[in-house]
């Protein structure tokens, strides 16, 4: 079917969610998938479920984006900022390498780092990025098969 000369084709129907609260990850997923498949609750559940399935020995490190309270001296303000924190295993021991700490904080073994992650996720509005080698990423082996 041909169009009249000079006529513009109709624009495609593009699914687009606008920002609401701090749900940009949910909006980004739905926008890429071009439909509303994920809710905040579904995204939260996905984050909690892979926690127990993480193959931590295959993960070089974790980077967390956490809510961080704002204070003025001893006065705590009702504001929240975001802060990035690194977790890493060194010689079989996991550490919290938060740059706000005076020294690395020992988290211990895998159970210790999983407990730290669970507590961070329970606070809400926490993002976790896994740092893995290209090989691990390509194989998806950062998750246990069981």
């Amino acid at each position: 079917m041909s169009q009249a000369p000079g006529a513009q084709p109709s624009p495609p129907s593009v699914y687009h969610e606008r920002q609401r609260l701090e749900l940009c990850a949910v909006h980004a997923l739905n926008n890429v998938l071009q439909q509303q498949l994920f809710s905040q609750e579904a995204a939260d559940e996905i984050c909690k479920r892979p926690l127990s399935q993480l193959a931590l020995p295959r993960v070089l490190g974790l980077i967390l984006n956490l809510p961080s309270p704002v204070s003025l001296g001893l006065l705590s303000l009702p504001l929240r900022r975001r802060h990035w924190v690194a977790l890493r295993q060194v010689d079989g021991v996991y550490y919290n390498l938060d740059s706000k700490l005076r020294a690395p904080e020992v988290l211990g073994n895998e159970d210790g780092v999983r407990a730290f992650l669970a507590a961070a996720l329970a606070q809400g509005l926490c993002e976790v990025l896994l740092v893995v080698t290209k090989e691990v990423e390509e194989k998806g082996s950062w998750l246990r098969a069981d």
Side-chain angles (χ1 to χ4, degrees), residues 86-91 93-97 104-108 113:
L87 307 180
R88 168 85 193 215
Q89 182 191 57
V90 177
D91 294 330
V93 178
Y94 285 91
Y95 293 91
N96 174 356
L97 301 171
E105 175 184 53
V106 174
L107 298 176
V113 77

Side-chain angles (χ1 to χ4, degrees), residues 106-117:
V106 174
L107 298 176
N109 60 14
E110 285 190 23
D111 290 338
V113 77
R114 288 180 199 281
F116 182 89
L117 289 169

Side-chain angles (χ1 to χ4, degrees), residues 51-92:
L51 179 57
S52 64
Q53 296 174 331
L54 281 178
L56 286 172
R58 297 187 175 271
V59 175
L60 293 176
L62 300 103
I63 299 177
L64 286 67
N65 188 246
L66 304 167
S68 180
V70 177
S71 61
L72 189 59
L74 297 175
L75 179 63
S76 182
L77 301 176
L79 303 172
R80 290 271 186 219
R81 299 190 73 182
R82 309 293 296 169
H83 180 61
W84 293 94
V85 174
L87 307 180
R88 168 85 193 215
Q89 182 191 57
V90 177
D91 294 330

Side-chain angles (χ1 to χ4, degrees), residues 43-56:
D44 289 346
E45 181 57 33
I46 290 168
C47 286
K48 291 173 187 169
R49 186 178 25 165
L51 179 57
S52 64
Q53 296 174 331
L54 281 178
L56 286 172

Side-chain angles (χ1 to χ4, degrees), residues 15-31:
Y15 183 83
H16 178 251
E17 287 185 8
R18 293 196 31 122
Q19 181 72 28
R20 182 175 65 83
L21 302 173
E22 289 191 18
L23 300 176
C24 47
V26 172
H27 300 311
L29 281 168
N30 289 336
N31 287 339

